[in-house]
Structures are given as C-alpha cells and as structure tokens.
Amino acid sequence: MQSTSSRVVILGTGGTIAGTAASASDQVGYSAAQLGVAQLVAAVPELAGVPLEAEQLAQLDSKDMDHATWRALAQRVARHLERDEVAGVVVTHGTDTLEETAWFLQRVLAPRKPVVLCAAMRPATALSPDGPPNLRDAVRVAREPGARGVLAVLAGQVHGAAEVQKLHAYRIDAFGSGEAGPLACVEESRVRMLRAWPEGDALGLGLVQADPADWPRVEIVTSHAGAGGAIVEALCAQGVDGLVVAASGNGTVHHALESALLAAQRQGVAVLRATRCVFGRVIPVAGQALADAGGLNPVKARVELLLRLLAARLSAGAPCPPRTSRAARRT
C-alpha cells in the first residue's frame, strides 16, 4: 500500500479482532479485547509506511457496548475528522453490536469523510485470522477519494451503516446488507463501487452531550406466538421512555402485546415497529396506530428512537429527568 499525505486515525475499542485464545485452533473459546490497537496495526505488514495514528479509546467485548463509549467515540471521531490532514477514521470494533454503533455514528455525525468500522470473526491468535485483512481493507477504504459516511468493511465488502447486519453466528463472511447489497468491494487493494456512498444530515454532537446515565431508556420487545403485555406493563412501571417491537412479518403484532403497546403509547411512551425478518421492511398501512421504523431492523430502530427522544428533549430545552417510574411521574 503506497503512502500519501493523507492520514488515517485508527481508534481501538476491543472486540474479537483484539481477542486471544490459548490455542491457535480455538476460534470460539477466546477472550475478546486483549490486544491494543497498536498491536493490531503492527500485525498488518501492508500498513507499513502508511501515515497512521493509533489510539486506544476503549477495550471491551462489543456485547458490552454502552452509551458512554458511544458518546466518547462520536466525540473523538468528530475531532479527528476536523483535521485537514486526516482522510478518514477507522474504528476497530467487535462484531456483536457493530451495526448499532455504525447507525449511532451515522445519525449523529453523518460524516463527509469516511468513518470505517472493521472487525473480525476470529481472534488474533487463530491459525488464519480475518482481522488483519479486514483492517488493511478498512484503511484502504478510509483513504479512498470521495468516500464518505459511516461504513463497515468485512470480508472484502463495504457496507453502509443503514443496511449492514450480522447475519451469521461464526462464519467470517457473517455480515451482509440485505436486499440492498454492499456499497463496494475491496479487490487487490482497489475499491470497486457498486452503489453510492451514504448521504444524510447530521443530528450533531450536541444531541449526545448529556450524561449517558440520563439518556432516555429504550427497550426492545418481541412479538411471538403466545405473546402478552406483562413485559410492557413492567417496563412502563420502571419508567421506560421508548419501546421498539420486533414484529412478525410486515409489522404484525400479537393482539395482547399490541394492546399493551397502545396503552403505553397513550401514557407517553414512544413506540416503533420493526420487522424481525432479515429481509424486507415494514410497508406502512394507512391508519396503523404504531409507527414503523422506516426499514431499520429492531436494534437500529432502538438507536433511532433513542436519538429521536434525545432530539425532542433538546428542542424542548428540557433537562434530563431523574430515573423514576412512569407511574411516579404521573402523580
């Protein structure tokens, strides 16, 4: 990979890409987030001579991703993107919540430079780890002229934040973009475009400046055979601010669960429907009382609803309320 004057900042957050196992043949019984980002860069010979900066922002298994890390990541990414000499930012991340982090960053920043998330399905100690080639490709995409938006680069494919999903539990080609397909492919260090780079307006860092402990609470419930409303009632009693229902088919919800969701909505809880199907989206039907998530899957719909509630709070100039039950708020 040839050097240019454009720099790439690599922010490490942990994940399987930084994981280690006692045996090189063990690809599932490993410990995530063991190696530092500088070690990950050193393991990719093709990056030698490329102008890079490596910074450890967090060190966690992405199943444990939290709002405080999201806020710190958004702030740090934004700061680096403001630098003229920085072409783009790469974030090493775990695979379990990569799609959620991607959508959070896209909605908050909608960057005009590329922010590329990369990850691995195998630990760094595996016989044939997928982390090094994914990191190499991510840096290549971060330096691609004209690239923009929050992207994910895995197994030679470039995905957009809105579509990327983890579709398989352990294969190295675990990620896809559903019916939309990938944005591009990385072939022999060349980026071949398939679709346009992501567009969008940034909600802005001001949206997430509040203490994450005071951010709205948004949870996901699932519609299934025999579903009831008790979990919704319990969450409302705890003071939940928003609910996403992972609905069946084209956004259909079991009648007992739907009744509880409608009651929660009347109490002031924001509710969105997203389909639990991997392919397709909820097609809106006139007169439906529960809004749909606009094609987002349930975990991204939760991020979206969280940000909408933060935006509404900010526009109203309202302070973050203390954590009390919704019943207590009504009294």
Side-chain angles (χ1 to χ4, degrees), residues 14-214:
T16 297
I17 193 171
T20 60
S23 169
S25 62
D26 191 347
Q27 299 183 17
V28 293
Y30 57 86
S31 297
Q34 300 301 301
L35 302 180
V37 65
Q39 293 171 280
L40 302 185
V41 173
V44 187
E46 297 96 325
L47 297 182
V50 177
L52 298 174
E53 296 176 23
E55 179 181 324
Q56 197 73 45
L57 183 129
Q59 189 68 300
L60 47 75
D61 187 325
S62 80
K63 68 179 178 59
D64 299 320
M65 183 56 67
D66 54 57
H67 295 166
T69 303
W70 273 356
R71 181 179 69 165
L73 181 58
Q75 291 171 335
R76 201 67 186 145
V77 167
R79 182 172 299 179
H80 285 302
L81 292 181
E82 290 175 350
R83 298 166 54 194
D84 292 339
E85 71 274 21
V86 171
V89 173
V90 170
V91 179
T92 61
H93 200 285
T95 61
D96 284 348
T97 56
L98 180 146
E99 62 200 81
E100 298 169 63
T101 298
W103 186 242
F104 175 83
L105 291 174
Q106 176 64 28
R107 290 290 281 138
V108 172
L109 302 177
R112 300 312 186 213
K113 295 179 180 179
V115 175
V116 187
L117 277 67
C118 77
M121 294 299 293
R122 296 173 179 171
T125 51
L127 284 171
S128 54
D130 54 323
N134 286 345
L135 180 55
R136 175 201 63 205
D137 290 348
V139 171
R140 177 64 187 86
V141 172
R143 302 175 76 220
E144 177 70 9
R148 62 190 296 166
V150 178
L151 313 168
V153 174
L154 305 110
Q157 294 188 324
V158 184
H159 303 280
E163 300 89 10
V164 65
Q165 292 188 66
K166 187 174 182 180
L167 301 176
H168 201 278
Y170 57 83
R171 286 192 330 213
I172 60 171
D173 60 341
F175 284 80
S177 288
E179 295 170 321
L183 295 170
C185 297
V186 183
E187 302 169 335
E188 296 297 324
S189 296
R190 295 179 180 271
V191 178
R192 178 166 64 91
M193 294 299 301
L194 302 173
R195 297 193 287 122
W197 298 114
E199 298 284 350
D201 296 324
L203 294 173
L205 280 175
L207 196 68
V208 296
Q209 291 305 308
D211 184 343
D214 294 325

Side-chain angles (χ1 to χ4, degrees), residues 9 15-16 19 70 229 264 272 285:
V9 177
T16 297
W70 273 356
L272 280 181
V285 177

